[in-house]
Amino acid sequence: MTSTQQRAALQRQIWQIANDVRGAVDGWDFKQYVLGSLFYRFISENFALYIEGGDDSINYAELGDEVITPEIKDDAIKTKGYFIYPSQLFANIVTGANSNESLNTDLASIFAAIEASANGYDSEGDIKGLFADFDTTSNRLGNTVADKNSRLAAVLKGVAGLDFGQNIDSFQCNQIDLFGDAYEFLISNYAVNAGKSGGEFFTPQHVSKLIAQLAMHKQTSVNKIYDPACGSGSLLLQAKKHFDAHIIEDGFFGQEINHTTYNLARMNMFLHNINYDKFNMQLGNTLIDPHFGDDKPFDAIVSNPPYSVKWIGSDDPTLINDERFAPAGVLAPKSKADFAFVLHALSYLSSRGRAAIVCFPGIFYRGGAEKKIRQYLIDNNYVETVISLAPNLFYGTTIAVNILVLSKHKTDTKTQFIDASGEEYFKKATNTNILTDQHIEQIMQAFDSKANIEHFAESVDNDKIAENDYNLSVSSYVEAKDTREKIDITQLNAELKTTVANIDKLRADIDVIVAEIEGREK
């Protein structure tokens, strides 16, 4: 079985588990139990392999908890960030799950112990609360303890039956990728079924790939990468895949306002084999309680912030003096925080880096404060490219969004506009449209060359943009292809003349036939 076939088979199995087991529990609520079980299995097997260290004579799951010395535990937590006793391993819990009358409370105790193992260590903030949304005592699982345990056992058994590979080599070279892919598959499918709310925490991989390539174009290494509205971390993880042959020196940084999604992001980092000391996810409102101010600037920033959300804006008079917003001299409208996210990202961007941000198209042509912010960006030559994408690429919205690319190291005073909204730049699909690798390559080639390409790309002097009221709509600078059928008037007249002649001949023939019939009747 090829890796593609194995991945497809695995994904079918996972989705089957989710549908078969959840019963009357809403899928959006139940996702945490499937995702949490998958994560529990991953960290258990990952930890066991670390302790065994490749020694086939050691089977950590078969050891007694009493053999663990304080030195072993201390060393493991410093390396892995957490500790799991043999009795707490996924494999040992799932074995007796069906007959365990206290399964739900046992799981709650184990999760609490895993989190508590990091207390006082550098990894404490990365581990604390990881299992908060895996509530094994919730009535969502059933009204009785027996119902809860039955459903939990079924989920654990289903996840235990997934084939990720059976040996150390397959785990290191293959299983980590499959675990991560399986996790993202679940998240994306739940996002599809959740509708609008799903798009708030997961950016489809094909769009993430384009955003990551834009942010890290031609950089052989970056100090670190940052997403100020990171959701489940999908954008940051796509950057990791894109940068496999290169170096992200100080790791992955992100902030997320939703607690459940924040936990998903941290789990997602572990599942993609990013150790606790190489990522830093923080919970909070990026606009009014930003983290990482002491860590900036970042060489690469990727973001798909929420579109046109409300924020406190001018109701907080201190924000106009905030170093992120003060240079523009105006705050984003209270009803539309889009440009607040843009200015935040710009403030955190290094002099050699790029930020690639998904934006609602209205911010590029509306007046008022948004126009003043556009003027600030253009007059200071921060806008490298604006890309118009196809409609229906994201979960929960059919809007044809834009990508804004910011840079502080431009060598000219032009702004590039790319119109990738036409049917030749995306593939139609059932739920959402898709950018194929070929489409991404077309966009990246145009982005790299900055060449003018008829009906596709145009580099425009900033002076011309200023004359155009600082309008940054792609359609204002890239002429759309005329897809209407072209009509040759001369040829059409000739065809009409022939048609009229044929009609006249047909009428004459009919008159003859009618005359003959009338003659016979007389």
Side-chain angles (χ1 to χ4, degrees):
M1 184 183 293
T2 66
S3 59
T4 301
Q5 291 172 327
Q6 184 181 11
R7 183 173 286 108
L10 180 66
Q11 291 174 348
R12 286 194 297 270
Q13 287 178 279
I14 290 174
W15 197 239
Q16 195 64 44
I17 293 169
N19 285 328
D20 288 348
V21 178
R22 71 179 177 89
V25 185
D26 182 80
W28 187 243
D29 292 331
F30 194 64
K31 74 181 185 299
Q32 301 300 49
Y33 299 100
V34 182
L35 294 171
S37 296
L38 189 66
F39 177 70
Y40 176 34
R41 178 183 165 183
F42 173 82
I43 63 170
S44 292
E45 295 183 13
N46 186 288
F47 188 82
L49 288 175
Y50 162 73
I51 294 291
E52 291 163 5
D55 187 342
D56 293 337
S57 67
I58 302 175
N59 186 332
Y60 187 62
E62 295 179 354
L63 298 179
D65 291 356
E66 68 278 359
V67 306
I68 304 301
T69 66
E71 291 76 20
I72 292 175
K73 184 175 181 180
D74 181 70
D75 182 68
I77 298 173
K78 287 178 179 176
T79 302
K80 299 299 294 181
Y82 58 90
F83 192 87
I84 305 177
Y85 282 98
S87 64
Q88 299 171 333
L89 291 172
F90 176 91
N92 286 330
I93 296 301
V94 76
T95 299
N98 286 337
S99 58
N100 186 351
E101 295 181 356
S102 59
L103 177 63
N104 66 327
T105 53
D106 285 352
L107 283 172
S109 297
I110 289 170
F111 297 156
I114 294 172
E115 291 183 14
S117 70
N119 290 348
Y121 289 84
D122 290 342
S123 59
E124 180 176 352
D126 299 307
I127 304 298
K128 186 177 181 180
L130 264 179
F131 291 98
D133 296 297
F134 196 156
D135 184 0
T136 60
T137 62
S138 171
N139 287 334
R140 290 181 299 178
L141 288 169
N143 293 324
T144 67
V145 172
D147 288 341
K148 293 179 177 68
N149 288 340
S150 175
R151 185 156 281 132
L152 286 169
V155 175
L156 294 176
K157 290 284 186 181
V159 171
L162 299 174
D163 181 14
F164 290 111
Q166 301 300 321
N167 55 57
I168 291 175
D169 288 338
S170 68
F171 187 90
Q172 298 296 346
C173 301
N174 183 41
Q175 192 177 26
I176 287 169
D177 184 54
L178 285 175
F179 258 121
D181 282 355
Y183 197 75
E184 288 197 25
F185 166 77
L186 263 177
I187 293 175
S188 64
N189 272 270
Y190 278 122
V192 169
N193 287 276
K196 188 171 183 178
S197 61
E200 294 177 1
F201 72 92
F202 186 81
T203 304
Q205 287 194 17
H206 52 98
V207 184
S208 297
K209 184 175 183 179
L210 172 61
I211 294 169
Q213 290 191 24
L214 289 166
M216 299 189 293
H217 183 60
K218 285 189 174 179
Q219 297 200 67
T220 55
S221 68
V222 296
N223 61 353
K224 49 205 169 186
I225 185 166
Y226 169 58
D227 186 344
C230 66
S232 62
S234 55
L235 265 174
L236 292 170
L237 289 167
Q238 189 58 239
K240 176 181 182 291
K241 292 179 181 180
H242 177 65
F243 239 69
D244 276 347
H246 305 290
I247 299 172
I248 299 177
E249 296 167 353
D250 298 322
F252 304 79
F253 294 72
Q255 184 165 344
E256 171 57 33
I257 193 171
N258 180 282
H259 192 276
T260 296
T261 314
Y262 158 70
N263 282 336
L264 287 178
R266 292 191 294 163
M267 288 183 181
N268 224 351
M269 294 294 127
F270 280 111
L271 280 165
H272 284 80
N273 204 34
I274 300 174
N275 209 39
Y276 76 91
D277 58 346
K278 284 296 183 182
F279 74 82
N280 190 342
M281 301 292 124
Q282 294 291 328
L283 178 66
N285 186 323
T286 298
L287 299 182
I288 62 175
D289 182 26
H291 290 265
F292 311 120
D294 294 334
D295 293 296
K296 66 177 187 178
F298 294 86
D299 288 345
I301 297 177
V302 292
S303 191
N304 177 18
Y307 310 142
S308 300
V309 295
K310 296 178 181 178
W311 75 307
I312 191 169
S314 57
D315 284 347
D316 181 350
T318 66
L319 285 175
I320 194 60
N321 298 317
D322 189 301
E323 64 178 358
R324 298 170 297 164
F325 312 125
V330 65
L331 295 172
K334 290 187 294 183
S335 60
K336 304 174 184 69
D338 308 70
F339 264 131
F341 283 104
V342 169
L343 292 174
H344 172 90
L346 180 66
S347 174
Y348 277 50
L349 187 63
S350 75
S351 59
R352 54 167 288 201
R354 282 191 180 91
I357 308 165
V358 179
C359 295
F360 185 81
I363 70 170
F364 294 110
Y365 58 79
R366 291 191 294 242
E370 290 176 320
K371 175 191 169 183
K372 292 179 180 177
I373 294 173
R374 293 196 304 271
Q375 179 175 352
Y376 163 73
L377 295 174
I378 291 298
D379 286 352
N380 288 276
N381 202 30
Y382 290 137
V383 181
E384 181 171 2
T385 302
V386 181
I387 303 171
S388 176
L389 294 180
N392 199 31
L393 290 175
F394 293 83
Y395 302 123
T397 180
T398 59
I399 296 170
V401 301
N402 292 1
I403 297 178
L404 174 66
V405 183
L406 301 176
S407 172
K408 293 181 178 178
H409 61 271
K410 290 172 61 180
T411 57
D412 61 21
T413 54
K414 293 177 179 288
T415 297
Q416 183 189 39
F417 296 89
I418 297 176
D419 185 358
S421 63
E423 291 190 359
E424 63 269 44
Y425 301 113
F426 70 95
K427 177 182 177 182
K428 290 188 176 181
T430 305
N431 292 313
T432 56
N433 293 326
I434 296 171
L435 296 176
T436 67
D437 286 346
Q438 181 181 356
H439 298 139
I440 293 172
E441 179 62 24
Q442 285 177 288
I443 295 171
M444 289 307 301
Q445 285 181 357
F447 177 75
D448 177 61
S449 70
K450 297 295 188 290
N452 293 335
I453 303 171
E454 190 176 19
H455 307 305
F456 183 52
E458 191 79 21
S459 290
V460 180
D461 286 326
N462 288 346
D463 288 344
K464 183 177 178 181
I465 295 173
E467 292 171 3
N468 194 25
D469 216 23
Y470 293 96
N471 188 323
L472 293 179
S473 294
V474 173
S475 59
S476 296
Y477 304 98
V478 180
E479 184 181 0
K481 185 182 295 185
D482 189 350
T483 56
R484 295 174 299 179
E485 183 180 359
K486 294 182 179 179
I487 299 174
D488 187 327
I489 299 300
T490 303
Q491 181 181 350
L492 180 61
N493 286 334
E495 290 173 354
L496 285 173
K497 186 176 181 180
T498 301
T499 300
V500 170
N502 289 336
I503 291 173
D504 289 342
K505 183 176 183 302
L506 181 60
R507 283 174 175 167
D509 291 342
I510 291 172
D511 288 343
V512 171
I513 293 171
V514 170
E516 289 178 353
I517 293 173
E518 289 176 344
R520 292 193 196 103
E521 290 177 348
K522 292 179 179 179

